[in-house]
Amino acid sequence: MALPLKVDLEALDINSQSEYVTYSKQVHDYSPAIKKLLDLSEDYVPGSERAFKAGRPAVWCQGGNYQPPLLYALGVTPVAYSEMGRYSSKEDMLLAEDVYQFPVETCSMLKCTVAQWHKRLNTGTINRILGSSSSCEPFNLSWELMRLRGYDVFVNEVIYRGPSVEGERLEQLVDFTVEQLRDVAEWLTGSRDVDETKLSFEIARKNRLLRKVKKVLDLRILHPFYMKSLAIILTLNVGLNNYFGRPDDYEAAIDELIVELENTPIDEKEIQKAIPLVWAGGTGQEFGVYEAIDLAGGALLGLRSAPFKDYREDIPPLEAIARWVYDNSIAGAGVYARHVLDAEVTRLKARGVILYGYIGCSFASIDREMWRRFFHEKGLPCVNLEGSFQTGAPTGQVLTRIKAFVEMLAA
Ligand code: SF4
């Protein structure tokens, strides 16, 4: 039931990212838990906007890193603006170019996000943006543009820990970040005080879910085709970060998934057939790439965003968040994420690494090149792909290269 489907991607006639999610629900017909996770993903943005209109505070934000625990503790839903990409089309690209004068070569991630915000102006939906200076220059520009258009925008300073930063300098960074977190609280609530009981509750919830999702990832080694690439990417990269705006429902679905996986008989043929792969790089909206991996017989079992470290629960919660930020793969330098990738390659005995980024994104291309060299020196095959933050059907060239790479590994 869960083995790769022998169908041609083009025959699926899927033309939008939303259609991929619908298709993924059909593919996972045997798993109520995965369908619930995909339902949550599908309703994340619209559901958060509905809740906002009904009175629940919400902000557009990265939806990861330090933001969700802090925002949930403040009673605010974090809504990841990157998830708006799946509602975008070629018309959104044109809108961004015409109204905001973006050069045509500007990355599509930025153009579709700005266009989506533009279309929401004066519609009564979420009107606050929590930006991050650690994103990229195009996004830094977008905060200013949206502020000029009337959004209430707050932007944190850059978070970055150089590879050799320790001791007193690190303590300064932690203190500085705690004040930054208080700045966010003040912007959202008018007070720099953060309820420590609520924040500790959110940290405990996050640690609990990090452990549960780690368990899912371990069980996937025994059932490599049970949860396919798009479903795990949405569950991990979006859901584990911000719970799709519905923490209790997300946790219940993860619990159900663990039970399903534990109760599914192990099929040795399935394990032998799987080609374990690690995904290194961005996971945007080009959902067809993930389907191409599945259809070629690859099993995307390792991800750059795999849970790496828990939050400390033995220190004040704001400090715990600041220390987690500087002690994790998102601390800035590419070497931190490489440690996670290397741990994933070892854990899974991976046979290949897929490096993926967006056309026009200088932000991530240097990291990808460093990682490619690192894994090549270890003798591990890598493919370095550039796709787009897709707004339509997937690009043929990327799909062809994925298929060829997986087939080469299989041979
Ligand atoms: S594709 Fe790269 S440069 Fe463009 S918005 Fe995303 S991170 Fe920034």
Side-chain angles (χ1 to χ4, degrees):
M1 181 193 296
L3 288 172
L5 298 175
K6 290 291 170 206
V7 294
D8 190 331
L9 190 60
E10 284 168 19
L12 296 176
D13 191 25
I14 293 172
N15 295 303
S16 73
Q17 282 48 51
S18 296
E19 286 175 20
Y20 269 115
V21 178
T22 305
Y23 168 71
S24 192
K25 280 196 271 188
Q26 291 164 5
V27 168
H28 292 102
D29 196 36
Y30 49 84
S31 168
I34 296 174
K35 285 202 283 184
K36 279 178 194 166
L37 288 162
L38 291 167
D39 282 341
L40 286 171
S41 164
E42 210 168 27
D43 196 46
Y44 176 28
V45 170
S48 299
E49 292 191 282
R50 279 197 312 276
F52 177 81
K53 287 180 179 170
R56 162 100 189 162
V59 294
W60 300 110
C61 58
Q62 280 181 313
N65 201 329
Y66 74 87
Q67 295 173 344
L70 178 65
L71 295 183
Y72 279 122
L74 296 171
V76 177
T77 303
V79 191
Y81 45 72
S82 54
E83 287 302 287
M84 292 192 294
R86 76 173 71 167
Y87 306 110
S88 295
S89 64
K90 300 272 182 287
E91 284 69 43
D92 293 279
M93 305 290 104
L94 291 174
L95 188 158
E97 288 165 19
D98 289 348
V99 178
Y100 293 91
Q101 303 295 303
F102 285 136
V104 69
E105 62 270 22
T106 306
C107 59
S108 48
M109 176 193 260
L110 187 77
K111 283 194 279 196
C112 41
T113 307
V114 166
Q116 290 290 324
W117 276 328
H118 179 87
K119 284 158 69 170
R120 285 167 166 77
L121 283 166
N122 306 317
T123 61
T125 189
I126 304 164
N127 57 352
R128 296 181 123 176
I129 299 172
L130 173 55
S132 162
S133 301
S134 295
S135 297
C136 58
E137 274 314 304
F139 261 128
N140 285 342
L141 175 67
S142 78
W143 320 136
E144 298 311 316
L145 290 172
M146 291 302 106
R147 185 179 278 132
L148 287 173
R149 289 281 167 166
Y151 277 93
D152 178 7
V153 180
F154 182 88
V155 185
N156 273 130
E157 291 296 330
V158 171
I159 288 173
Y160 181 80
R161 177 184 178 186
S164 60
V165 170
E166 296 287 351
E168 192 184 337
R169 177 68 187 132
L170 177 59
E171 295 310 306
Q172 287 170 350
L173 286 175
V174 169
D175 291 346
F176 175 74
T177 302
V178 167
E179 289 310 306
Q180 291 264 298
L181 300 177
R182 291 194 185 282
D183 290 344
V184 174
E186 188 172 15
W187 171 62
L188 286 169
T189 67
S191 168
R192 297 181 70 73
D193 293 335
V194 177
D195 185 323
E196 292 208 348
T197 306
K198 287 184 180 167
L199 191 54
S200 296
F201 173 86
E202 290 302 332
I203 285 176
R205 185 204 315 260
K206 178 64 81 178
N207 280 342
R208 196 169 64 241
L209 274 160
L210 287 169
R211 287 191 288 272
K212 288 180 180 181
V213 172
K214 265 187 202 164
K215 185 159 191 175
V216 168
L217 294 176
D218 285 343
L219 286 164
R220 286 187 76 230
I221 298 173
L222 301 173
H223 305 283
F225 296 124
Y226 192 87
M227 187 177 204
K228 304 204 186 294
S229 302
L230 175 59
I232 186 61
I233 278 179
L234 293 175
T235 298
L236 187 66
N237 285 11
V238 189
L240 183 58
N241 274 323
N242 48 54
Y243 323 130
F244 301 121
R246 289 159 62 180
D248 294 338
D249 293 338
Y250 177 75
E251 185 161 6
I254 292 292
D255 287 338
E256 196 175 334
L257 178 58
I258 290 171
V259 172
E260 279 183 16
L261 284 163
E262 284 179 335
N263 289 331
T264 299
I266 293 171
D267 180 348
E268 287 299 333
K269 278 193 203 143
E270 182 182 338
I271 296 174
Q272 282 163 16
K273 194 171 175 111
I275 300 161
L277 299 170
V278 169
W279 181 277
T283 51
Q285 300 290 329
E286 199 167 14
F287 292 171
V289 174
Y290 314 135
E291 292 299 334
I293 293 170
D294 296 341
L295 297 177
L300 203 54
L301 299 179
L303 290 129
R304 171 186 164 179
S305 47
F308 196 53
K309 288 190 176 166
D310 288 0
Y311 289 77
R312 286 178 61 179
E313 297 187 49
D314 61 332
I315 54 177
L318 278 176
E319 183 188 340
I321 290 185
R323 290 198 184 280
W324 184 86
V325 165
Y326 287 111
D327 204 23
N328 225 306
S329 62
I330 33 90
V335 69
Y336 302 134
R338 197 194 74 197
H339 290 326
V340 180
L341 294 171
D342 202 21
E344 285 292 275
V345 163
T346 305
R347 182 176 74 89
L348 300 163
K349 299 189 183 66
R351 295 192 14 213
V353 176
I354 299 175
L355 299 141
Y356 180 85
Y358 313 122
I359 297 163
C361 179
S362 56
F363 184 62
S365 55
I366 295 170
D367 280 350
R368 284 207 315 280
E369 195 48 43
M370 290 192 305
W371 298 335
R372 188 188 65 80
R373 184 185 299 180
F374 174 81
F375 287 115
H376 264 182
E377 283 171 4
K378 291 184 96 174
L380 193 68
C382 299
V383 63
N384 197 353
L385 302 171
E386 279 208 320
S388 68
F389 198 78
Q390 193 68 31
T391 54
T395 48
Q397 195 201 27
V398 170
L399 299 186
T400 305
R401 291 190 63 201
I402 283 272
K403 196 162 175 275
F405 181 67
V406 178
E407 285 173 0
M408 176 198 79
L409 296 177

